Amino acid sequence: MTRTRFSPSPTGMLHIGNARTALFSALYAVKEKGIFILRIEDTDQARSEHKYTEILQDDLHWLGVTWQEGPEVGGPYQPYWQSQRHEIYDHYYQELEKQGLAYPCFCTEQQLALNRKIQLSRGQAPRYPGTCRKLSAEEIAKRIAGGEKPSLRFHVPEKTMIEFVDLVKGTQQFHSADIGDFIIRRAEGTASFMFSNAIDDSLMKVTLAMRGDDHLANTPRQLMILKALNMPAPQYAHLSLITGDDGTPLSKRHGSFSLNDLRQQGYLPIAVLNYLSRLSHAYEQKQLMPFSELAAHFKIEKLSRAPARFDKNQLLHWQKEAVMELDNVGILEWLRENNIMVGKIPETKRDLFIEVMRQNILFPSEAERWADVLFHRPPEFTEEQLAILKEAGEDFFIEACQLVKKHGTNLKATCDDLKNKLNVSGKKLFMPLRIALTGEQHGPELPHIATLLGPENMMNYFHHAALRAARGG
């Protein structure tokens, strides 16, 4: 049975790169009728925080990603928190030490930094030189008795080629001579990512480990660990990184790109789901799809080796598609979820407001702004808009007020009379009206705006515009 996993470290918000990894792993598991596991890799106690674990679980649920094993649901290989699995790791440390494949290392960070500096100055790739590899048992015991706390290093075999087939990148080869002995247990006693990640993948019978290709160099190390312990290894699929417009890996300098940020901005989960599903994965289907359909059409062979560029316009495209798919009840719920006071919208005009907004907004905050303007207070104007109002003149808006008394919300009749009486047409007719009624130069069709405002508000807004035009600001 196919078993995939997502194994985040709870040291911060869930970035969209990690969210995509979780999503692809879950999509593939569903496609293959398998199991998707969530495992929390919190061995770095100094940086891990429980609040981030809670947030990432909430974010994944919001996105539509569920797990069959892990926190909240349990499973046959629990615990799914690495901080609770130290006894398991200790067992395998002892096995490696018995075989002479792991040894204590007393080198300090300063010594290691000096070694790296010397190697680089000689044009060599920095790697651990094996300083502590040949310490005697007596010397090790003496140093530990003296209060020194060693890390534990894996003894990399010499003259060995590590080869595996990556399901995205193809055949990969690494020579052990290019890999120095690496730490598998930190000096304070916690397991390194390299070790705990490999052990848990094997024990939890993970068949496919998807992760970013920045982890590619970790794979030969983990395969050596598992081979030394005679434990089965999963297949690997290293996903291309996500880059910003400048081609560099997506980071905070490109903006806010945590899943939680997108939630707070009012993105709909199905919009983010469809966008992330297409970041380095090609779908023939171009329409908005629910999780089940995205899973049904997910194919590993469709994953691209090239970096995936984050495109804000594409994300907004899917947001627009998602908003258009919502029914009126869905729109109202979306507004409520984002703390928009639905009570601002008169109940008698709610359906029309929603229909008009569906065509013209991407986010709940925009709906709130329209509700304020249409039902509660006249708009504020920019300097550019004030110049347009001034050019139209005070008399233009006074006349508009009188025509609303005559025609009510029939804005076409008002426009026809304005055109004939003031000899004004085209943009010089419609733009001052739009700005006066909405404070925007683009937006919903004016007849809809007139209906939502009602005659009284229309006259008040035209009067407000007349005063601003007369003052010139």
Side-chain angles (χ1 to χ4, degrees), residues 266-268 271 315-323 334 362-363:
Y267 279 95
L268 287 159
L315 177 56
L316 293 175
H317 162 77
W318 291 112
Q319 176 74 352
K320 183 64 177 178
E321 292 289 310
V323 172
W334 177 47
L362 290 174
F363 300 102

Side-chain angles (χ1 to χ4, degrees), residues 293-335:
E293 288 185 36
L294 289 167
H297 297 292
F298 184 83
K299 298 177 181 177
I300 282 188
E301 57 268 27
K302 293 288 188 179
L303 290 170
S304 172
R305 299 183 184 185
R309 184 174 67 86
F310 183 85
D311 187 336
K312 182 71 171 292
N313 290 329
Q314 276 297 305
L315 177 56
L316 293 175
H317 162 77
W318 291 112
Q319 176 74 352
K320 183 64 177 178
E321 292 289 310
V323 172
M324 295 299 291
E325 288 252 332
L326 289 175
D327 59 16
N328 285 10
V329 174
I331 291 279
L332 287 174
E333 183 60 29
W334 177 47
L335 297 181

Side-chain angles (χ1 to χ4, degrees), residues 165-199:
V165 177
D166 185 277
L167 295 187
V168 175
K169 297 181 172 298
T171 300
Q172 302 292 308
Q173 292 182 327
F174 295 83
H175 201 285
S176 64
D178 298 324
I179 304 172
D181 295 350
F182 53 90
I183 292 174
I184 56 177
R185 185 178 65 206
R186 304 181 186 96
E188 79 274 12
T190 58
S192 71
F193 158 81
M194 204 79 64
F195 187 80
S196 57
N197 181 271
I199 295 298

Side-chain angles (χ1 to χ4, degrees), residues 176-416:
S176 64
D178 298 324
I179 304 172
D181 295 350
F182 53 90
I183 292 174
I184 56 177
R185 185 178 65 206
R186 304 181 186 96
E188 79 274 12
T190 58
S192 71
F193 158 81
M194 204 79 64
F195 187 80
S196 57
N197 181 271
I199 295 298
D200 288 344
D201 278 350
S202 186
L203 292 178
M204 294 179 183
K205 301 188 185 304
V206 172
T207 60
L208 175 61
M210 287 190 184
R211 55 190 183 185
D213 68 4
D214 54 331
H215 283 289
L216 185 62
N218 294 331
T219 304
R221 294 166 169 80
Q222 294 182 308
L223 289 173
M224 285 190 287
I225 291 171
L226 295 177
K227 184 178 180 181
L229 292 167
N230 196 29
M231 298 174 71
Q235 286 187 293
Y236 291 93
H238 289 88
L239 307 174
S240 61
L241 296 183
I242 302 174
T243 67
D245 290 333
D246 57 1
T248 61
L250 199 64
S251 66
K252 289 182 178 179
R253 70 174 177 276
H254 294 106
S256 296
F257 291 112
S258 76
L259 208 58
N260 201 261
D261 287 331
L262 298 181
R263 290 182 64 180
Q264 296 303 318
Q265 291 170 38
Y267 279 95
L268 287 159
I270 195 169
V272 179
L273 179 68
N274 274 262
Y275 179 64
L276 291 183
S277 296
R278 291 168 168 86
L279 266 180
S280 76
H281 181 273
Y283 279 98
E284 295 176 5
Q285 297 77 14
K286 304 304 179 186
Q287 72 275 17
L288 194 74
M289 293 188 287
F291 187 97
S292 59
E293 288 185 36
L294 289 167
H297 297 292
F298 184 83
K299 298 177 181 177
I300 282 188
E301 57 268 27
K302 293 288 188 179
L303 290 170
S304 172
R305 299 183 184 185
R309 184 174 67 86
F310 183 85
D311 187 336
K312 182 71 171 292
N313 290 329
Q314 276 297 305
L315 177 56
L316 293 175
H317 162 77
W318 291 112
Q319 176 74 352
K320 183 64 177 178
E321 292 289 310
V323 172
M324 295 299 291
E325 288 252 332
L326 289 175
D327 59 16
N328 285 10
V329 174
I331 291 279
L332 287 174
E333 183 60 29
W334 177 47
L335 297 181
R336 289 191 182 99
E337 287 174 353
N338 286 272
N339 301 315
I340 304 303
M341 297 293 292
V342 176
K344 288 184 174 182
I345 310 165
E347 194 166 344
T348 56
K349 296 183 178 181
R350 192 168 290 173
D351 286 344
L352 177 60
F353 178 80
I354 290 172
E355 289 302 320
V356 171
M357 289 304 105
R358 182 182 285 110
Q359 303 287 335
N360 290 276
I361 66 168
L362 290 174
F363 300 102
S365 58
E366 296 170 311
E368 183 172 44
R369 188 264 170 196
W370 278 109
D372 282 336
V373 168
L374 294 173
F375 307 123
H376 298 287
R377 63 180 67 88
E380 298 295 327
F381 307 118
T382 66
E383 291 298 320
E384 180 184 358
Q385 291 168 347
L386 285 170
I388 294 172
L389 298 182
K390 184 178 180 182
E391 183 180 359
E394 180 183 7
D395 290 344
F396 177 95
F397 297 107
I398 292 174
E399 185 63 34
C401 281
Q402 296 304 313
L403 290 172
V404 170
K405 290 181 181 178
K406 176 181 177 181
H407 298 300
T409 59
N410 186 346
L411 197 60
K412 182 179 184 306
T414 293
C415 287
D416 288 342

Side-chain angles (χ1 to χ4, degrees), residues 459-473:
M459 288 188 289
N460 288 338
Y461 287 17
F462 284 145
H463 179 68
H464 174 67
L467 292 175
R468 300 304 298 275
R471 292 203 306 263

